[in-house]
Amino acid sequence: MSNETIKIQTLNNNNRMSTQELLQLITSKLEEGYTNFDIDASGQHNIGGSSWAKDRKSELLFTLRNPGQRVGAMAMKGTKIVVEGSAPADVGWLNSGATIVVKGDCGDTAAHCAAGGKIYAAGRVGTRSGALMKHDPKFEVPEFWVLKNTGSFGFEFMGGGTAVVCGYECEDLPSVLGNRSCVGMVGGTIYVRGKIDDIAECVSINALNQEDIDFLSQGLVKFLNEIEKSNLYDKLSDWTEWKKIIPAQNQAKTRMSVKDFRKNHWVENGIFGDFIHDDFVVYPMPSTGEGRVHVPNWNGANCIDCKICLNNCPESAIETNDKQYSSNDNKCIGCGICEAVCPKKCWTIVSDRKEIS
Ligand code: SF4
Ligand code: SF4
């Protein structure tokens, strides 16, 4: 086995290593006995996932910059992944025992389906993070630590594991768990510091007991150490600011059909329902006025006042006054005939596509 760090650059001039090429390179180096990787990635997926040392015992370390989606997906016990910065969606998807440290924000679905190991996020995490976390009693409890807040729909159908959302720098947010969090949560524990709003009815929100405080005070030290923010311990360890979310105890009494749950409780009108009302009317492209795509500009430096443009405009949009020409925005359809017919190239059609508020 070799402790030497393999450095990998995935960009060579304008040539980018594909995900497949990078993963094959990592695999070949693992087979040669290397365990430490330092990778300047360029969006390659699945780095650090499902990897093991040649001797099946040594620990692996991946230090990454700019990884793509699913960094650490299905990563195994004995693997440590450190992302120096932020990472896109699916960080630690189905984590199977690795320690994954992201020193910035995580995209959507961080820790999705995580079943083991620890995921530490030093910033915010996106929507549906922590969804479907689970715990097989044969293995250690998966943990998911977030310094700031989560996006909406977090911890959907959580079945096990422990999540900790520290709510740091989230004082202005109405909820550190976004909207509609914890829908369908049947297991696990979420510790939250800060405001919570619009949370599913199937969970209960409780004060911490001593066991909770012991877990958090020990875990917080390790978490903050991993993300290099140990100085925040005092600020985050006022346990009166924390709450504990667990599945409600009375679920048996509120049991409902899957159809009723899907249609009326998960997302109104079902997951494929529209979040905003759509009248299904297809509106034509604006052809005149504010918002039309093509607009004629007139530059009269060479104009000979021949009026060819004025006489050929199909919308009678061209107006003239004292040898100055202009087009009326509310008549002009941007057809370009003026540009085509002008012998002195005074008209130029420009693209003026803009958002309509
Ligand atoms: S673009 Fe067409 S409609 Fe507009 S001023 Fe020129 S000729 Fe008239
Ligand atoms: S066609 Fe050209 S040169 Fe003639 S009046 Fe129009 S802008 Fe002027």
Side-chain angles (χ1 to χ4, degrees):
M1 304 301 298
S2 171
N3 288 328
E4 183 191 338
T5 298
I6 292 288
K7 288 186 176 289
I8 300 177
Q9 289 285 344
T10 61
L11 283 176
N12 181 9
N13 294 321
N14 289 326
N15 295 320
R16 174 183 174 274
M17 193 182 285
S18 70
T19 292
Q20 186 180 24
E21 289 167 335
L22 176 59
L23 298 186
Q24 286 175 337
L25 177 60
I26 292 170
T27 301
S28 69
K29 292 298 177 188
L30 288 168
E31 283 303 305
E32 289 174 27
Y34 292 98
T35 55
N36 291 353
F37 295 82
D38 182 288
I39 303 173
D40 273 324
S42 43
Q44 289 84 359
H45 292 190
N46 290 53
I47 304 174
S50 300
S51 302
W52 49 86
K54 186 176 185 184
D55 63 3
R56 304 293 192 265
K57 294 190 300 236
S58 299
E59 304 216 328
L60 302 181
L61 173 62
F62 293 87
T63 304
L64 310 175
R65 287 161 294 281
N66 196 27
Q69 293 185 357
R70 292 202 170 186
V71 62
M74 295 191 285
M76 307 204 309
K77 191 174 175 62
T79 296
K80 182 170 184 180
I81 299 168
V82 179
V83 179
E84 301 286 1
S86 295
D90 284 337
V91 169
W93 177 78
L94 203 53
N95 184 17
S96 305
T99 297
I100 302 172
V101 183
V102 177
K103 294 188 181 171
D105 298 324
C106 296
D108 293 341
T109 52
H112 193 257
C113 300
K118 294 180 173 58
I119 299 173
Y120 296 131
R124 307 182 197 281
V125 298
T127 191
R128 288 207 155 91
S129 289
L132 288 163
M133 281 181 70
K134 55 183 75 79
H135 175 218
D136 181 336
K138 284 188 291 190
F139 300 93
E140 62 178 6
V141 178
E143 294 178 24
F144 177 34
W145 291 70
V146 179
L147 183 62
K148 295 185 178 177
N149 60 301
T150 74
S152 296
F153 304 104
F155 308 106
E156 242 178 9
F157 304 116
M158 184 176 183
T162 303
V164 183
V165 180
C166 299
Y168 176 63
E169 289 184 338
C170 293
E171 290 71 20
D172 295 337
L173 296 180
S175 173
V176 296
L177 298 182
N179 295 321
R180 302 287 291 152
S181 57
C182 305
V183 175
M185 178 177 176
V186 293
T189 304
I190 307 167
Y191 295 105
V192 182
R193 174 182 166 274
K195 285 178 272 185
I196 305 169
D197 192 19
D198 196 17
I199 192 168
E201 294 158 6
C202 63
V203 298
S204 67
I205 303 172
N206 308 275
L208 304 190
N209 60 32
Q210 191 55 49
E211 198 180 334
D212 300 321
I213 293 171
D214 290 345
F215 167 80
L216 284 173
S217 49
Q218 289 172 27
L220 191 59
V221 171
K222 184 152 194 339
F223 169 53
L224 294 175
N225 186 45
E226 291 284 5
I227 63 170
E228 299 175 351
K229 293 189 185 295
S230 296
N231 58 315
L232 297 182
Y233 185 85
D234 288 345
K235 182 172 181 61
L236 300 180
S237 58
D238 177 353
W239 307 119
T240 63
E241 297 177 341
W242 288 78
K243 299 180 189 73
K244 172 184 178 179
I245 299 170
I246 55 175
Q249 298 303 306
N250 61 349
Q251 287 185 58
K253 292 183 198 150
T254 59
R255 184 163 289 173
M256 64 188 75
S257 70
V258 171
K259 182 178 178 185
D260 181 28
F261 175 78
R262 181 170 56 80
K263 284 230 171 251
N264 302 316
H265 296 269
W266 185 11
V267 175
E268 194 178 354
N269 297 319
I271 189 171
F272 298 114
D274 289 320
F275 285 92
I276 57 171
H277 176 69
D278 189 339
D279 58 12
F280 297 106
V281 175
V282 178
Y283 292 90
M285 183 88 95
S287 57
T288 61
E290 189 77 2
R292 72 195 191 281
V293 175
H294 294 124
V295 176
N297 271 354
W298 184 75
N299 180 338
N302 298 321
C303 180
I304 53 176
D305 200 21
C306 66
K307 296 188 173 49
I308 291 176
C309 57
L310 188 141
N311 293 330
N312 283 279
C313 173
E315 302 297 322
S316 300
I318 293 178
E319 298 163 355
T320 181
N321 184 15
D322 193 21
K323 299 184 180 177
Q324 300 295 302
Y325 287 75
S326 61
S327 73
N328 184 323
D329 279 347
N330 292 322
K331 292 183 180 176
C332 173
I333 57 171
C335 67
I337 289 177
C338 50
E339 182 187 60
V341 299
C342 175
K344 295 295 180 183
K345 302 198 182 313
C346 298
W347 291 98
T348 310
I349 298 290
V350 297
S351 176
D352 193 32
R353 186 181 286 265
K354 55 170 79 85
E355 299 292 328
I356 308 289
S357 57

